[in-house]
Amino acid sequence: MRNVSPWREPVPPDGTMGEPRARGRFGQYGGRYTPESLAQACREVDEAFRRAWADPGFRGALARLLAVHAGRPTPLTPAHRLSEALGVRLYLKREDLTHTGSHKINNVLGQALLATRMGRRRLIAETGAGQHGVATATAAALLGLEATVFMGERDIERQALNVFRMRMLGAEVVPVTAGSRTLKDATSEAMRHWVGATGDSHYCVGSVVGPDPYPWMVRELQRVIGEEARGQCAAELRTGVPDHVVACVGGGSNAAGTFAGFADTTARLVGVEAQGGAGASRGRPGVMHGCRSLFLQDDDGQITPAHSAAAGLDYPGVGPEHAHLRDLGRARYVTVTDEEAIAAAVRLARTEGIVPALESAHALAWVIRAAGDGDLPAGSTVLMTLSGRGDKDLSTLKELL
Ligand SMILES: *Cc1c(COP(=O)(O)O)cnc(C)c1O
């Protein structure tokens, strides 16, 4: 069917990375597995977002916020010295240069603007290491909203500085003492809290996960990465489109936003997961946090905890659209170890003068490995999203190096 809605991008005939099917389905994944009270709240978010996304007024206001507050557009940086050493042509999409230092700001500014449009006065969010919590607190402060951030007690101990940063920005940080006292439990608690507060609060999910419409909405809000990069590649590359498009995958939002700009091209899409958090590479179908997707599970179907030196990749699942892209074969998912990521971070620092987030270093680690073993043929052009800057990881790196 021909795509006629004004806000959608042209997509291939199978609709890859277009709108999900009815009830937020991406193939056999996605959906809205919530109690009725939350399903109703999700329907309201869905309706409000569809209207907003079709409204040039909303689009314009968001584009302006992204420009004047977040620093968009971000540059496309050719990695000259590293490219020469690897025998490929590597270009970095610099999300590390946004305000707050990662792509997460693209999503939260969009959802915060939507919340004000819906008449909500408060944002609810979950956070693991604090990156999404800080971005949410930032957007809330900017738009005059309150922010309540749920965070596992263990993460609060481990991430004292980010907890302080959220409080500095005026957010309330609520410790979660259930279960493993980390991200998975913080997410469950945030959803539970939202049930009793849907009238005045918007739940701001941090990645392309959760019940419909979140996976689709967050991908659309991150699409700006892929669209900017597409235009920049068109200007920079003789072929217009890179041979490979690479991004790291935790829940999968920076990858989904990047892939969305190239899904209708010949570019090969590669999502790089942490060895210990490889939902797309090693997960099995299941339902968690309101959606059906791929999750790391034991033989009884219990979710098994993820482990990664990169906090943002420490999630035992992946967004439903990535699960579908994997099944379709449109994108490929690979894993790298903590050690490979750390070595890649050092290499980028010393060849290009950029200290990447450990999450982003996973994507680079695969590029380095693939250039070495011929998976990336000599002379290939590679677009890689550098999802964030490494400042937050310096104390981890200092311990390990
Ligand atoms: C949170 C985070 C990620 C992982 O989240 P996605 O939703 O998979 O993009 C990756 N990189 C950085 C810098 C992050 O902060």
Side-chain angles (χ1 to χ4, degrees):
M1 206 180 74
R2 181 99 182 94
N3 208 326
V4 290
S5 304
W7 68 90
R8 286 189 226 147
E9 287 301 301
V11 293
D14 66 356
T16 310
M17 303 208 87
E19 245 186 81
R21 293 183 202 290
R23 293 181 302 282
R25 289 284 172 180
F26 300 95
Q28 59 161 306
Y29 308 103
R32 190 182 284 158
Y33 294 85
T34 63
E36 180 47 35
S37 51
L38 274 194
Q40 177 55 31
C42 288
R43 275 192 291 274
E44 283 172 28
V45 173
D46 186 45
E47 251 171 59
F49 180 68
R50 280 172 194 279
R51 267 200 305 267
W53 212 225
D55 173 3
F58 180 86
R59 291 289 195 114
L62 179 56
R64 184 164 164 77
L65 276 184
L66 289 170
V68 302
H69 193 74
R72 303 210 73 89
T74 59
L76 184 73
T77 302
H80 285 300
R81 293 200 331 116
L82 189 54
S83 291
E84 198 177 317
L86 296 178
V88 299
R89 284 170 61 203
L90 174 62
Y91 294 86
L92 306 173
K93 180 59 176 161
R94 300 291 305 280
E95 296 304 294
D96 61 314
L97 293 179
T98 57
H99 178 50
T100 69
S102 86
H103 67 289
K104 288 201 168 70
I105 195 76
N106 306 326
N107 170 40
V108 297
L109 284 178
Q111 288 198 51
L113 199 60
L114 183 70
T116 58
R117 196 175 150 114
M118 293 176 75
R120 308 291 190 252
R121 59 170 188 81
R122 188 169 66 125
L123 299 179
I124 298 169
E126 77 293 336
T127 199
Q131 296 303 108
H132 175 58
V134 166
T136 302
T138 300
L142 177 70
L143 295 183
L145 299 165
E146 290 171 32
T148 305
V149 180
F150 289 85
M151 190 168 183
E153 213 173 34
R154 269 188 67 201
D155 288 333
I156 288 184
E157 286 161 19
R158 292 189 288 196
Q159 303 289 339
L161 215 53
N162 267 344
V163 174
F164 175 71
R165 191 137 76 115
M166 286 183 261
R167 290 186 172 142
M168 171 104 189
L169 288 159
E172 179 193 10
V173 180
V174 180
V176 174
T177 54
S180 58
R181 295 174 291 141
T182 57
L183 176 61
K184 178 161 100 44
D185 313 288
T187 305
S188 305
E189 198 55 39
M191 290 179 85
R192 219 175 344 259
H193 179 80
W194 192 34
V195 174
T198 54
D200 72 346
S201 302
H202 172 74
Y203 180 25
C204 183
V205 175
S207 189
V208 286
V209 298
D212 178 54
Y214 287 98
W216 172 68
M217 176 170 73
V218 176
R219 179 251 279 165
E220 286 302 288
L221 293 172
Q222 293 291 2
R223 180 184 278 277
V224 64
I225 304 173
E227 283 183 354
E228 278 179 17
R230 176 83 176 265
Q232 290 164 324
C233 284
E236 187 82 16
L237 301 178
R238 192 177 42 76
T239 50
V241 172
D243 300 320
H244 287 78
V245 172
V246 186
C248 66
V249 174
S253 68
N254 86 88
T258 305
F259 291 176
F262 296 90
D264 64 340
T265 72
T266 53
R268 294 173 184 204
L269 312 177
V270 182
V272 186
E273 299 188 293
Q275 177 110 338
S281 308
R282 286 212 311 277
R284 285 186 287 138
V287 173
M288 188 170 72
H289 296 147
C291 88
R292 181 177 160 82
S293 192
L294 296 171
F295 298 100
L296 300 177
Q297 304 168 52
D298 64 19
D299 289 339
D300 298 327
Q302 294 292 322
I303 303 294
T304 54
H307 295 288
S308 172
L313 306 186
D314 218 338
Y315 185 71
V318 70
E321 189 166 31
H322 287 292
H324 183 48
L325 291 173
R326 186 198 74 163
D327 283 6
L328 289 176
R330 179 63 189 94
R332 200 176 138 202
Y333 296 86
V334 296
T335 64
V336 308
T337 63
D338 281 353
E339 292 71 30
E340 286 177 294
I342 290 160
V346 173
R347 188 138 182 215
L348 189 68
R350 295 185 184 171
T351 52
E352 304 296 333
I354 300 168
V355 178
L358 274 178
E359 291 84 357
S360 326
H362 280 72
L364 184 65
W366 179 78
V367 171
I368 292 172
R369 189 210 293 159
D373 67 15
D375 219 357
L376 276 176
S380 316
T381 49
V382 182
L383 168 75
M384 189 198 107
T385 294
L386 192 72
S387 55
R389 64 178 182 230
D391 304 44
K392 69 181 179 61
D393 296 315
L394 287 178
S395 59
T396 307
L397 286 165
K398 186 159 165 279
E399 296 282 297
L400 295 170
L401 289 174

